[in-house]
Amino acid sequence: MADLQNGAKKGAYYTNEYRNVFAECGYSEEEIEKKVKDAFQTVFYGPDDEKFYFEFGDDMGYFEDTGNFDARTEGMSYAMMMCVQMDMKNEFDRVWKWARTFMYIEEGYNAGYFDWHRRTDGSRIDEYPGPAPDGEEFFAMSLFFASHRWGDGEGIFNYSQEAKNILSACIHNGENEPGEPIMEPENYLIRFIPSRKFSDPSYHCPHFYDLFALWANEEDREFWKKAADASREYLKKACHPETGLAAEYANYDGTPYAHERDIFGGRHDWYYSDSYRVIANIGLDHEWFGKDQWQVENNNKVQKFFMETHRDEDFKIYEIDGTVIDEPALHPVAIIATNAQASLAADGPYAKECVERFWNTPLRKGGRRYYDNCLYLFALLALSGKYRVW
C-alpha cells in the first residue's frame, strides 16, 4: 500500500496533522469512531469479566492487572494517558488520586517515586517499595497533557507541577540524600530500576523526552534533550540488525541482559512481553517527530519477520535473532496490536496487512486481558490519529 509510505514526512508535532491509518486502509470515519468508542467502553465500563477499570470509593479508580490481581504504575499511568487522549477527565482524576494516595513514596531511599504495584485495596505488597520507571515517565507525560488540555487545579491536581516534581526526582534523587536516579547521569539512559545499571528498551520514549525538554523545570531541560538523543541511538543498538527485535532487558551497549535471572523472575534476554512495546514506541516517535529513517527500516524488519516467517503460526517466544523458543507467547493480542502500531513508521509491504489483522482482532477476554488490551487501546488511539501531543 503505497500511501502508507511516510518515511520522509515531518512529524505531527510540527504540523499538527496526525495520520488516521485506519482511514488510509479504507475504513470509514463512522467505523473507526465506533471501534474506538466501543473498546474504551468495554475496558472502562463493560462486564466485570471484560473490563479492568474499577472505581474505588467516591473519587478514585484503578486499572487492575487481571493476571496478577494488583494495580501497577504501568497500568495506572497508561490509564491516565488513555483518559487524557479521550478527554475523560473524571476517570483521569480518579486514577491519579488513587496512584498519588496509595503508590506515592513520601520518604526514604525512593522518595518522590511511585511504588510499582499495590493490592487493589491500596495496601503495600513489598516490604521496601520502589518504582518501575516506565510508570514515572507515563505519569509525567500524561500530567503535562492534562495541564495543557484541561488546565491546572490545586494540590495534586496541579498537574504540571506534579509532572515537574516527578521528572526532577528522576534526575536528582540521591544527590543530597540516600537514593538513586532513574535516569543514568553518565549516559542519559533510563534505568530498569534505580539501583541497577542496565535498561529496558521498552522504557525508551524519546518522543516524551523531547517534550520534557520543553516543559520540565528549567534546570532539567538540557538533560531531557540529551536523553532524547541518547535514547534514539540506544534503540538502534538494542534492536537486532536483521529482525528488528529487542530484548526485554538490555545492557547500556544494547546487548540483551542475561544476568540476575533469580532476582528478576527468569529470562529477559529474549523477545517477550515488555519487548512488544518497543516497535509501538518507535512508531509513535516517528509519527510525532519523524526524525529518523532508521525507525522506518526497523519496523519494516519486524513486520517482515512476523508476516513472512511466522504468518500462520501461533506466536512463540523468540530470541532477538529470530530463533524460536517453543513456548507460547503470554500476550498474543499485544503482538498483533504493536505490529499494527509499528505501521506509523513502517512503509513496507506488510504495513497495511498488519493494520488489517489488528482491525479484525477483538479485545482479549479472560485473566490475561489487562496487558494485551492496554496495548490494544494504545494502538487504536495511534492508528486512528487520536494519540496526540497536547
Side-chain angles (χ1 to χ4, degrees):
M1 180 171 142
D3 57 352
L4 278 181
Q5 295 183 6
N6 69 321
K9 82 176 184 91
K10 200 168 185 179
Y13 171 77
Y14 306 102
T15 66
N16 201 34
E17 296 177 359
Y18 293 84
R19 294 176 64 203
N20 185 333
V21 180
F22 289 136
E24 293 172 19
C25 290
Y27 301 104
S28 71
E29 292 292 343
E30 293 76 16
E31 288 178 293
I32 297 166
E33 289 297 319
K34 183 177 188 304
K35 191 170 188 68
V36 174
K37 181 178 179 181
D38 288 351
F40 273 83
Q41 178 65 28
T42 297
V43 165
F44 279 84
Y45 295 109
D48 283 349
D49 60 349
E50 294 186 45
K51 72 175 187 174
F52 45 91
Y53 168 75
F54 297 93
E55 293 188 347
F56 186 93
D58 294 333
D59 58 358
M60 289 189 277
Y62 60 87
F63 261 15
E64 180 184 5
D65 179 337
T66 55
N68 293 290
F69 311 108
D70 59 11
R72 303 184 168 205
T73 53
E74 168 194 77
M76 299 296 282
S77 61
Y78 282 5
M80 289 166 58
M81 180 61 76
M82 294 168 189
C83 288
V84 73
Q85 296 296 339
M86 290 292 287
D87 200 20
M88 299 167 63
K89 187 176 186 299
N90 173 61
E91 291 84 354
F92 182 100
D93 286 347
R94 281 178 170 270
V95 171
W96 172 234
K97 186 171 183 179
W98 198 101
R100 193 63 169 74
T101 299
F102 296 120
M103 305 179 106
Y104 187 70
I105 303 169
E106 295 280 358
E107 58 186 10
Y109 184 84
N110 286 313
Y113 299 142
F114 292 75
D115 189 5
W116 75 278
H117 67 163
R118 289 288 175 115
R119 296 184 182 91
T120 56
D121 64 3
S123 61
R124 182 184 294 180
I125 297 173
D126 300 325
E127 182 178 0
Y128 300 106
D134 57 332
E136 272 66 20
E137 62 185 359
F138 268 85
F139 278 138
M141 193 76 272
S142 60
L143 286 163
F144 276 131
F145 287 167
S147 172
H148 302 157
R149 188 162 198 186
W150 300 320
D152 286 328
E154 297 181 354
I156 67 168
F157 300 110
N158 185 346
Y159 305 125
S160 62
Q161 187 59 56
E162 291 288 312
K164 291 175 183 178
N165 293 346
I166 293 169
L167 296 182
S168 180
C170 290
I171 296 174
H172 299 294
N173 270 18
E175 289 182 351
N176 300 311
E177 56 189 22
E180 291 279 356
I182 278 173
M183 301 301 297
E184 179 62 63
E186 295 180 3
N187 58 25
Y188 308 100
L189 300 178
I190 190 168
R191 295 177 178 178
F192 172 65
I193 56 175
S195 61
R196 291 292 191 275
K197 293 194 173 188
F198 64 93
S199 196
D200 180 325
S202 76
Y203 287 5
H204 285 257
C205 294
H207 46 302
F208 287 5
Y209 309 156
D210 274 337
L211 299 175
F212 295 162
L214 300 175
W215 304 331
N217 289 330
E218 187 76 33
E219 64 271 21
D220 296 335
R221 293 179 183 180
E222 184 62 25
F223 185 101
W224 289 111
K225 182 179 179 181
K226 292 178 179 178
D229 293 339
S231 190
R232 291 189 176 102
E233 290 304 308
Y234 176 77
L235 288 171
K236 294 177 183 178
K237 300 174 184 177
C239 293
H240 192 274
E242 295 180 5
T243 65
L245 304 178
E248 285 201 293
Y249 306 164
N251 298 301
Y252 286 158
D253 65 1
T255 56
Y257 185 85
H259 312 291
E260 300 182 287
R261 292 178 181 177
D262 55 329
I263 297 175
F264 297 114
R267 287 189 64 174
H268 296 282
D269 58 330
W270 49 20
Y271 192 75
Y272 197 53
S273 301
D274 272 21
S275 306
Y276 310 154
R277 300 180 295 198
V278 174
I279 54 170
N281 291 336
I282 289 171
L284 193 62
D285 184 22
H286 191 74
E287 166 69 1
W288 285 6
F289 290 101
K291 287 189 174 182
D292 197 335
Q293 181 65 19
W294 172 86
Q295 297 170 327
V296 179
E297 297 166 358
N298 187 79
N299 283 10
N300 282 340
K301 291 174 184 177
V302 175
Q303 290 184 342
K304 179 181 179 180
F305 172 78
F306 281 105
M307 302 309 291
E308 284 193 3
T309 311
H310 303 286
R311 177 192 300 272
D312 298 320
E313 302 173 6
D314 292 335
F315 293 120
K316 303 289 187 181
I317 304 171
Y318 309 96
E319 304 276 3
I320 67 169
D321 67 1
T323 301
V324 178
I325 307 298
D326 194 19
E327 298 178 31
L330 189 60
H331 298 291
V333 172
I335 294 177
I336 294 171
T338 53
N339 283 352
Q341 189 171 328
S343 294
L344 288 174
D347 64 359
Y350 304 108
K352 181 180 180 182
E353 187 174 356
C354 286
V355 172
E356 291 176 336
R357 183 176 187 182
F358 171 61
W359 179 273
N360 292 316
T361 299
L363 286 162
R364 185 173 181 177
K365 297 183 179 181
R368 288 289 179 183
R369 66 188 182 276
Y370 149 81
Y371 185 72
D372 291 83
N373 291 346
C374 278
L375 300 191
Y376 190 106
L377 291 187
F378 277 144
L380 275 182
L381 288 170
L383 295 168
S384 61
K386 298 179 184 296
Y387 202 155
R388 302 187 170 201
V389 176
W390 291 95

